[in-house]
PDB file of all heavy atoms in Angstrom:
ATOM      1  N   PRO L 148     -37.632   5.189  21.271  1.00 90.00           N
ATOM      2  CA  PRO L 148     -36.509   5.763  20.386  1.00 90.00           C
ATOM      3  C   PRO L 148     -36.764   7.218  20.057  1.00 90.00           C
ATOM      4  O   PRO L 148     -35.759   8.067  20.034  1.00 90.00           O
ATOM      5  CB  PRO L 148     -36.463   4.916  19.250  1.00 90.00           C
ATOM      6  CG  PRO L 148     -37.118   3.558  19.618  1.00 90.00           C
ATOM      7  CD  PRO L 148     -38.107   3.934  20.603  1.00 90.00           C
ATOM      8  N   PHE L 149     -37.992   7.602  19.871  1.00 92.00           N
ATOM      9  CA  PHE L 149     -38.252   8.960  19.461  1.00 92.00           C
ATOM     10  C   PHE L 149     -38.040   9.916  20.694  1.00 92.00           C
ATOM     11  O   PHE L 149     -37.614  11.044  20.498  1.00 92.00           O
ATOM     12  CB  PHE L 149     -39.712   9.179  18.977  1.00 92.00           C
ATOM     13  CG  PHE L 149     -39.945   8.613  17.591  1.00 92.00           C
ATOM     14  CD1 PHE L 149     -40.675   7.391  17.425  1.00 92.00           C
ATOM     15  CD2 PHE L 149     -39.381   9.319  16.550  1.00 92.00           C
ATOM     16  CE1 PHE L 149     -40.857   6.866  16.127  1.00 92.00           C
ATOM     17  CE2 PHE L 149     -39.642   8.693  15.214  1.00 92.00           C
ATOM     18  CZ  PHE L 149     -40.332   7.532  15.002  1.00 92.00           C
ATOM     19  N   ASP L 150     -38.312   9.441  21.904  1.00 91.00           N
ATOM     20  CA  ASP L 150     -38.047  10.173  23.154  1.00 91.00           C
ATOM     21  C   ASP L 150     -36.560  10.471  23.295  1.00 91.00           C
ATOM     22  O   ASP L 150     -36.170  11.499  23.750  1.00 91.00           O
ATOM     23  CB  ASP L 150     -38.663   9.495  24.315  1.00 91.00           C
ATOM     24  CG  ASP L 150     -40.234   9.402  24.271  1.00 91.00           C
ATOM     25  OD1 ASP L 150     -40.797  10.283  23.580  1.00 91.00           O
ATOM     26  OD2 ASP L 150     -40.789   8.700  25.006  1.00 91.00           O
ATOM     27  N   LEU L 151     -35.785   9.382  22.960  1.00 91.00           N
ATOM     28  CA  LEU L 151     -34.346   9.563  23.130  1.00 91.00           C
ATOM     29  C   LEU L 151     -33.738  10.463  22.132  1.00 91.00           C
ATOM     30  O   LEU L 151     -32.825  11.249  22.531  1.00 91.00           O
ATOM     31  CB  LEU L 151     -33.666   8.070  22.947  1.00 91.00           C
ATOM     32  CG  LEU L 151     -33.914   7.101  24.004  1.00 91.00           C
ATOM     33  CD1 LEU L 151     -33.389   5.718  23.571  1.00 91.00           C
ATOM     34  CD2 LEU L 151     -33.216   7.550  25.340  1.00 91.00           C
ATOM     35  N   MET L 152     -34.285  10.481  20.880  1.00 92.00           N
ATOM     36  CA  MET L 152     -33.830  11.421  19.968  1.00 92.00           C
ATOM     37  C   MET L 152     -34.184  12.942  20.406  1.00 92.00           C
ATOM     38  O   MET L 152     -33.305  13.718  20.314  1.00 92.00           O
ATOM     39  CB  MET L 152     -34.551  11.194  18.592  1.00 92.00           C
ATOM     40  CG  MET L 152     -34.215   9.872  17.894  1.00 92.00           C
ATOM     41  SD  MET L 152     -35.116   9.648  16.501  1.00 92.00           S
ATOM     42  CE  MET L 152     -34.728  11.028  15.337  1.00 92.00           C
ATOM     43  N   GLU L 153     -35.335  13.041  20.944  1.00 92.00           N
ATOM     44  CA  GLU L 153     -35.696  14.385  21.511  1.00 92.00           C
ATOM     45  C   GLU L 153     -34.780  14.786  22.588  1.00 92.00           C
ATOM     46  O   GLU L 153     -34.381  16.070  22.640  1.00 92.00           O
ATOM     47  CB  GLU L 153     -37.138  14.358  21.877  1.00 92.00           C
ATOM     48  CG  GLU L 153     -37.687  15.715  22.332  1.00 92.00           C
ATOM     49  CD  GLU L 153     -39.177  15.628  22.735  1.00 92.00           C
ATOM     50  OE1 GLU L 153     -39.762  14.642  22.784  1.00 92.00           O
ATOM     51  OE2 GLU L 153     -39.653  16.740  23.065  1.00 92.00           O
ATOM     52  N   GLU L 154     -34.527  13.857  23.487  1.00 90.00           N
ATOM     53  CA  GLU L 154     -33.635  14.242  24.638  1.00 90.00           C
ATOM     54  C   GLU L 154     -32.236  14.627  24.169  1.00 90.00           C
ATOM     55  O   GLU L 154     -31.601  15.498  24.789  1.00 90.00           O
ATOM     56  CB  GLU L 154     -33.593  13.078  25.659  1.00 90.00           C
ATOM     57  CG  GLU L 154     -32.721  13.427  26.888  1.00 90.00           C
ATOM     58  CD  GLU L 154     -32.706  12.232  27.871  1.00 90.00           C
ATOM     59  OE1 GLU L 154     -32.925  11.049  27.475  1.00 90.00           O
ATOM     60  OE2 GLU L 154     -32.449  12.503  29.078  1.00 90.00           O
ATOM     61  N   ILE L 155     -31.746  13.882  23.247  1.00 89.00           N
ATOM     62  CA  ILE L 155     -30.372  14.161  22.623  1.00 89.00           C
ATOM     63  C   ILE L 155     -30.399  15.608  22.135  1.00 89.00           C
ATOM     64  O   ILE L 155     -29.505  16.383  22.373  1.00 89.00           O
ATOM     65  CB  ILE L 155     -29.994  13.161  21.604  1.00 89.00           C
ATOM     66  CG1 ILE L 155     -29.661  11.852  22.150  1.00 89.00           C
ATOM     67  CG2 ILE L 155     -28.848  13.765  20.757  1.00 89.00           C
ATOM     68  CD1 ILE L 155     -29.393  10.811  21.159  1.00 89.00           C
ATOM     69  N   GLU L 156     -31.381  15.895  21.454  1.00 90.00           N
ATOM     70  CA  GLU L 156     -31.424  17.340  20.965  1.00 90.00           C
ATOM     71  C   GLU L 156     -31.592  18.354  22.074  1.00 90.00           C
ATOM     72  O   GLU L 156     -30.941  19.376  22.021  1.00 90.00           O
ATOM     73  CB  GLU L 156     -32.661  17.474  19.989  1.00 90.00           C
ATOM     74  CG  GLU L 156     -32.705  18.936  19.318  1.00 90.00           C
ATOM     75  CD  GLU L 156     -33.865  18.969  18.239  1.00 90.00           C
ATOM     76  OE1 GLU L 156     -34.614  18.035  18.037  1.00 90.00           O
ATOM     77  OE2 GLU L 156     -33.845  20.148  17.593  1.00 90.00           O
ATOM     78  N   ASN L 157     -32.434  18.119  23.010  1.00 89.00           N
ATOM     79  CA  ASN L 157     -32.694  19.160  24.016  1.00 89.00           C
ATOM     80  C   ASN L 157     -31.543  19.243  25.044  1.00 89.00           C
ATOM     81  O   ASN L 157     -31.149  20.290  25.555  1.00 89.00           O
ATOM     82  CB  ASN L 157     -33.946  18.726  24.870  1.00 89.00           C
ATOM     83  CG  ASN L 157     -35.193  18.863  23.962  1.00 89.00           C
ATOM     84  OD1 ASN L 157     -35.276  19.574  23.031  1.00 89.00           O
ATOM     85  ND2 ASN L 157     -36.307  18.114  24.389  1.00 89.00           N
ATOM     86  N   SER L 158     -30.841  18.059  25.412  1.00 83.00           N
ATOM     87  CA  SER L 158     -29.819  18.132  26.396  1.00 83.00           C
ATOM     88  C   SER L 158     -28.403  18.492  25.750  1.00 83.00           C
ATOM     89  O   SER L 158     -27.622  19.091  26.442  1.00 83.00           O
ATOM     90  CB  SER L 158     -29.665  16.567  27.012  1.00 83.00           C
ATOM     91  OG  SER L 158     -30.813  16.260  27.648  1.00 83.00           O
TER      92      SER L 158
END
Side-chain angles (χ1 to χ4, degrees):
F149 287 109
D150 291 341
L151 290 173
M152 291 173 63
E153 184 179 6
E154 182 178 25
I155 288 173
E156 181 176 4
N157 293 337
S158 298

